[in-house]
Amino acid sequence: MTSKPIYLDYAATTPADERVIAKMQSCLSLEGDFGNPASATHEFGLKAKALVGEAREQVARLIQVEPRCLLWTSGATEANNLAIQGVAKYYQQKGKHIVTSQSEHNSVLDTCRFLEGQGFEVSYLKPNADGRIDLKTLDAALRTDTILVSIMHVNNETGIIQDIEAIGKITREREIFFHVDAVQSLGKLPINLKTLAVDLMSFSAHKIYGPKGIGALYIGNWPRVRLQPLMYGGGQERALRPGTLPTHQIVGMGEACHMAAEVMSDEISRIQKLRKQLWQGIQGLAGVSLNGHPEYRTAGILNVCFNQRDRKTLLAQLSTLALSTASACNVGTEEPSHILKAMGLSDEAANCSIRFSIGRYTTEQEIEQAIQIIQGAYQ
Ligand code: PMP
């Protein structure tokens, strides 16, 4: 029997935690809480509605917002689409200019490209070589007809953290809405939306040991953000996101957030130690360099350029490690990462870069084994 590769791809997705799975299972069968949360006439529906409410509170607590500001979606791709298209369509009389960055996730970039086809204008800011967005560049890109800025919190390929506090101050002063894709920071960095001038924030459960297919959008109400929905139907979620609420998915996301709040600070320091262990073990190898800023980064992601190594040979040599060259979201492409290219890496350097992402179940032994496998590829 061949053993499974060592999983170092937690930024692509995480396994669901056992506690999450148990909670989800309790919402599926006849014996469980399977009711439709919108069935207000009987106990089954009322119980499911209460569970959805509890989960909304669990997510809200992790980011310090009122539960009613959260809307369930099918994931962050939908949350990003709803935030960006929703603002664009609702406020188009006010202006048709949007600012984002070249290093966003495709669910933001492709939504912006779609809107360009609908008569909107989009400025795509180039990050610095270290992956950070320059605040002066951002400020200079804003215009009187700018209605939205969309900048992610933590980059999914490099782990680089953007200064969303400072960006929010700039956008709030200019009365421009600010959307943040926080998929890679939820549960991994403290987020306090009470103190951040962020109007919209997108989340996904499957990066924090919850299930795939569920996410949420935070919609601020001071100043109030109005959105045009993407879909029309039964009026659920304030008619902004109609459709029967999937109780099992929702309680799974709630439980994942509840757990994240409990373990976050210990987990950050443990994972950070593992990342440092990995980097120490490989940084001395010929032609190896770190992609992105050395400090403004999340604990679990290490993006390394193995300069002048052939991508295919390197990946074959590292086949006992489950990792990723670009993000899993650039499905089926052999194209060099648009994120690394935006930071100024050549096609060749981007192509021989690898993302290692570490998570809750990664052990010191696994990191040590990974180091040996990588070192072995140099012999
Ligand atoms: N934004 C970022 C930064 C991501 O990493 C991902 C997932 N790879 C998404 C958005 C899309 O999230 P989902 O899988 O929930 O649609």
Side-chain angles (χ1 to χ4, degrees), residues 71-82:
L71 203 83
W72 302 112
T73 63
S74 62
T77 297
E78 186 189 339
N80 286 342
N81 269 268
L82 180 57

Side-chain angles (χ1 to χ4, degrees), residues 16-126:
D17 195 280
E18 292 302 328
R19 249 169 75 176
V20 167
I21 296 169
K23 200 86 191 261
M24 291 178 71
Q25 274 174 341
S26 74
C27 295
L28 290 167
S29 65
L30 178 62
E31 292 71 39
D33 299 310
F34 72 92
N36 185 330
S39 301
T41 51
H42 52 69
E43 195 182 317
F44 298 91
L46 293 172
K47 186 72 207 296
K49 185 180 176 192
L51 287 170
V52 167
E54 222 174 86
R56 213 187 292 269
E57 278 172 24
Q58 289 173 316
V59 181
R61 226 173 286 134
L62 183 59
I63 50 173
Q64 317 223 6
V65 295
E66 297 277 323
R68 69 194 160 97
C69 294
L70 287 170
L71 203 83
W72 302 112
T73 63
S74 62
T77 297
E78 186 189 339
N80 286 342
N81 269 268
L82 180 57
I84 298 169
Q85 290 194 54
V87 164
K89 300 269 171 66
Y90 195 93
Y91 293 97
Q92 56 185 316
Q93 302 301 333
K94 202 173 158 218
K96 289 188 126 186
H97 181 235
I98 295 168
V99 174
T100 186
S101 90
Q102 293 172 15
S103 48
E104 295 300 308
H105 187 264
N106 275 337
S107 55
V108 168
L109 291 176
D110 284 352
T111 304
C112 288
R113 285 183 201 119
F114 164 75
L115 287 171
E116 282 182 293
Q118 308 254 312
F120 288 84
E121 231 188 293
V122 183
S123 301
Y124 299 91
L125 305 180
K126 190 174 163 58

